Structures are given as structure tokens and as C-alpha cells.
Amino acid sequence: MLKLDLSNATPFLPEDWLTSRLDALEQARTMLAEHNGPGGEFTGWVRLPVEYDREEFARIQAAARKIRSDSQVLVVIGIGGSYLGARAVIELLGSADHKLAPNAPEIFFAGNGLSTDALADLMDYVADKDFSINVISKSGTTTEPAVAFRIFKALLEEKYGKDGARGRIYATTDAHKGALKGLADAEGYEEFVVPDAVGGRYSVLTAVGLLPIAAAGIDIEDLMAGAAGAMETLSWPGADNIAWQYAAARNALCAAGKSIELLVGYEPSFRFFAEWWKQLYGESEGKEGKGLFPASVEFTADLHSMGQYIQQGQRILLETVVRFAKSRREVLIPHDPDNVDGLNFLSGKPLQFVAEQALRGTLLAHVDGGVPNLVLEAQGRDAKTAGELIYFFEYACGLSGYLLGVNPFDQPGVEAYKKNMFALLGKPGYEDQRSALEKRLNG
Ligand code: PA5
């Protein structure tokens, strides 16, 4: 299980940072367990690692096997909560080309933006490949994935005919309603469900994340087992619960004037996990003028760019470092008889040793520079640990949002841009807003 080391954060915290929050944490725990706090109707994720639809889980595994057998590429179409979790896990556990197992297809993500060039490049790439599509949208009406789906569906139908394409399209959407649900029913696509009680950013352990993750060759039983273990451990109340500690420390540091939390990873493959985390905390807490701004850095690369600011810029930062105890492989630093670079004192040492000293040295330097450091230690980069990390951050986010006094499960702020975009696109019903916006934009 994960470990949380707060020894490099406590010097920045008042003595009662945890004890003064225990009652509020217990209330938050109860609200999550009983689904009766603000947004309680979206807390179906709390027991998801053990209470999930086994029949659908088996269908996910079967669909993933089929995709692995008939596709060189899986195009996963979705945005936000319908995108980031799958990419986070696939990249964390994989390598740069996302191939995790023999016969696993390459996984590409589309519909997570509106870049013409990115989409066109992917269209070119799949043109001479066997491919399938997993289109994911809870509402079924989000513009970016809907547009991308139109395009890739047309490509697939052109290549395999309407019937052939039908067997290569997997739709993950609401169980009852929405445009995608209607289309999937009408066309006879295989369907998977985004449960009503699970919002996008908490949906990685539903079919939203599980189908692409399984198609990539990752053992989703291990992923769920890791999450279930974390759920069991973190559901117990008490000051030694690391989710309680993390939520309380963030809350206390925010109260003490910190306003930005940097999630720090030392693995390039962690980058999208940090993107997932940013959505989780940003959408859950960034409302009513509250919340730490979630950002991320990748060390040691960013020590050579953002390192300066972290060390000496505005003292508004805290860092949460996710550290993996073991690298999967070992690389030894070779001996060089000429020693021109003066590095022979490292000859024969594992690169991991160097990385470890970089982490330790950075941590102390940043603490000396006034940046509290919380260190979350995970074991290897494997499916079980990924499940633990997901559940830990989700559960701590629920607690943390309630401590902050917001509804951690809504996202009213994301509608503003959509309304403007629809008006500017000329969507029927938005005529008045359109002329007002055009007037503002054209001066
Ligand atoms: O967390 C959220 O609710 C959002 O990020 C959504 O997941 C995102 O907007 C995509 O929505 P949908 O799945 O309805 O297409």
C-alpha cells in the first residue's frame, strides 16, 4: 500500500493541523460513505472497486480481446473525464508507444481538442491500418468527441462498410439517454455504461477507463484489486489514515497562504497521471473562489526550467511528490578510462541511485526554499499500484473538497465556454447570444 511522508511539510504547518480537522474529516468520511453530502448523487465511485457490474466487466475483457485480435490501432475518442483516466494509466504502465503486451494495439486518443492538424495526422496514420473506435461520452453531446467520432466513423465505414464498421465501434455512454446512446442503439454498436452516480473525473474505474486500458494489454483485475485494497484501508477513520492526512495537510497549507500545489513526478510516463490528477482536483475544488491551483512538473527535466521559480519565486507553492520505490529495470553507469567528464565516482552505480539522490537533494533544497513537500511513496509501476494511486487521490479529493466547504462533484464553471462556442458556431437557439458576442469580439 502507499505511504505518505509528511516530515517535510510539517515544519510549515501549525501544530494542530490534523487534530483541528479530525471532526470535519469524520463528517466528510460519513458523507462519502452515506452519499448524503453535497453532490452525494455523484459518489457512486466510493465503493466502485468492489461494487461494479461483473457482467459488464467480463464484456469489457471480451471486447478488449477482440480489439487486440483484429486491430492494430484503437482510437479512443473522449475528452476530460472521458479521456484522461485511460491515458493516465496506459502511459503510466506503458512505454512511449503505448504497447504494453504482444498483440496489443497502439492506443491513440482523439476528440480531446479541436486541432485540425492533430486529427488529420491521426487520420493519415490509421488509413492503412486495421483499427477500431471506442467513443466515450457520458452526455453524448460534447462537441469535441462528437466531431471526431463523425470523422473516424466515416473513415471506418469507408474501409469496412457499414456492417464491418459496426463490429469495430464500442460506445461508452449513459445507460438511458443522450445522442450517443440513441446512435449506438440505432446502429447496434456494443455499448458500455458510464454509471449515473459517477462523474467524468471519477470514472476511470468504470468502462470509461477500463475498456481502453484492457485493450492496451493491462490487467484490469489487478487494477481493480489495487483500488479495492486502497478503498478498504482508507475507509477506516482516524488520524493515521493517509487520505485524511493528505486532505488535512493541503487544507492547512492553503489556509496558511499556499495557493498552488505541484504534483511532482520523476517518471516521464507519469505525465498523464498528473494531467488526470489536475482535472480531479481542479474541477472538484476550484469553485466559489476557493481551492489550491493544481499544477504539475516532471523532474528532473523541469528542475532545469521551473526549478528556479520553485526555489525562489513567490512562496505560494507546495509540492506533492509521487515516488516509485523501484524502477522496473536496471541501468549501470559505465566506467570510462579517460574520465573526461569526471563521473567515474559513479562508475558501476545504478542510474536509479542517481535519480534517488536527485530526489532527496531536490526535496531538501525546496524545503529550504520555503516549499513544503509531501511525499507519496508507491511501489512499482504496475496495475495494482495504479489502482491504489487512483483510489487514494479520488478519495482524498472527496474529503478535501468537503473540508474546503465546496461540492466536489459538480463543475458549473465548464459551461461558460461551451455556451459561447455554441453561440459563435451558430447553433440554433443561441442567436441572441451570438450577436452580443460578435459585437464584443469585433469591437
Ligand atoms: O469531469 C467531467 O464531468 C468532464 O470533464 C467531462 O468528463 C467532459 O466534459 C466530457 O463529458 P462527456 O463525457 O459528457 O462527453
Side-chain angles (χ1 to χ4, degrees), residues 170-421:
Y170 303 85
T172 306
T173 189
D174 191 275
H176 313 287
K177 56 182 190 304
L180 179 57
K181 169 70 185 158
L183 179 67
D185 284 352
E187 297 281 350
Y189 302 148
E190 174 148 24
E191 292 178 36
F192 298 97
V193 170
V194 192
D196 290 345
V198 181
R201 58 190 175 275
Y202 289 86
S203 69
V204 55
L205 299 177
T206 71
V208 170
L210 294 178
L211 178 56
I213 291 169
I218 294 167
D219 187 333
I220 55 174
E221 294 202 12
D222 279 1
L223 186 75
M224 294 303 269
M231 187 198 91
E232 170 61 21
T233 309
L234 300 176
S235 64
W236 292 99
D240 55 354
N241 181 317
I242 61 170
W244 284 38
Q245 293 172 1
Y246 180 55
R250 300 175 80 250
N251 189 267
L253 288 166
C254 188
K258 302 297 181 190
S259 51
I260 297 176
E261 180 179 9
L262 294 174
L263 192 73
V264 180
Y266 278 77
E267 294 290 335
S269 64
F270 188 72
R271 186 176 297 169
F272 265 86
F273 198 93
E275 295 301 318
W276 169 83
W277 173 89
K278 284 194 268 192
Q279 186 200 359
L280 183 63
Y281 280 80
E283 260 188 4
S284 298
E285 296 194 320
K287 48 197 76 159
E288 300 174 31
K290 297 181 184 171
L292 289 165
F293 180 81
S296 62
V297 284
E298 184 189 319
F299 290 168
T300 59
D302 286 338
L303 288 172
H304 299 259
S305 54
M306 297 301 288
Q308 172 58 38
Y309 192 102
I310 297 169
Q311 193 69 43
Q312 295 182 327
Q314 283 194 71
R315 300 300 71 198
I316 52 175
L317 304 173
L318 68 108
E319 290 178 306
T320 296
V321 180
V322 177
R323 161 188 189 172
F324 291 92
K326 299 187 283 277
S327 53
R328 285 188 189 155
R329 304 181 54 186
E330 186 171 79
V331 173
L332 300 180
I333 297 172
H335 185 74
D336 179 354
D338 298 331
N339 196 25
V340 184
D341 54 13
L343 285 178
N344 271 355
F345 69 101
L346 292 174
S347 296
K349 293 250 170 29
L351 185 56
Q352 174 70 20
F353 169 77
V354 182
E356 189 59 26
Q357 307 326 309
L359 186 152
R360 296 169 76 212
T362 303
L363 197 139
L364 293 182
H366 289 181
V367 168
D368 290 346
V371 181
N373 265 246
L374 293 76
V375 181
L376 186 66
E377 185 167 308
Q379 291 306 303
R381 282 189 300 125
D382 51 43
K384 189 163 166 282
T385 305
E388 289 174 357
L389 283 168
I390 287 167
Y391 196 86
F392 168 80
F393 280 122
E394 287 184 351
Y395 190 70
C397 187
L399 294 175
S400 182
Y402 282 151
L403 276 190
L404 198 61
V406 298
N407 174 351
F409 308 112
D410 67 1
Q411 54 283 331
V414 299
E415 290 309 312
Y417 103 89
K418 286 188 195 167
K419 284 187 191 140
N420 285 356
M421 181 175 71

Side-chain angles (χ1 to χ4, degrees), residues 79-82 136-142 145 199-201 279 283 411 414 418:
I79 194 166
S82 293
I136 308 169
S137 178
K138 185 174 186 181
S139 64
T141 53
T142 309
R201 58 190 175 275
Q279 186 200 359
E283 260 188 4
Q411 54 283 331
V414 299
K418 286 188 195 167

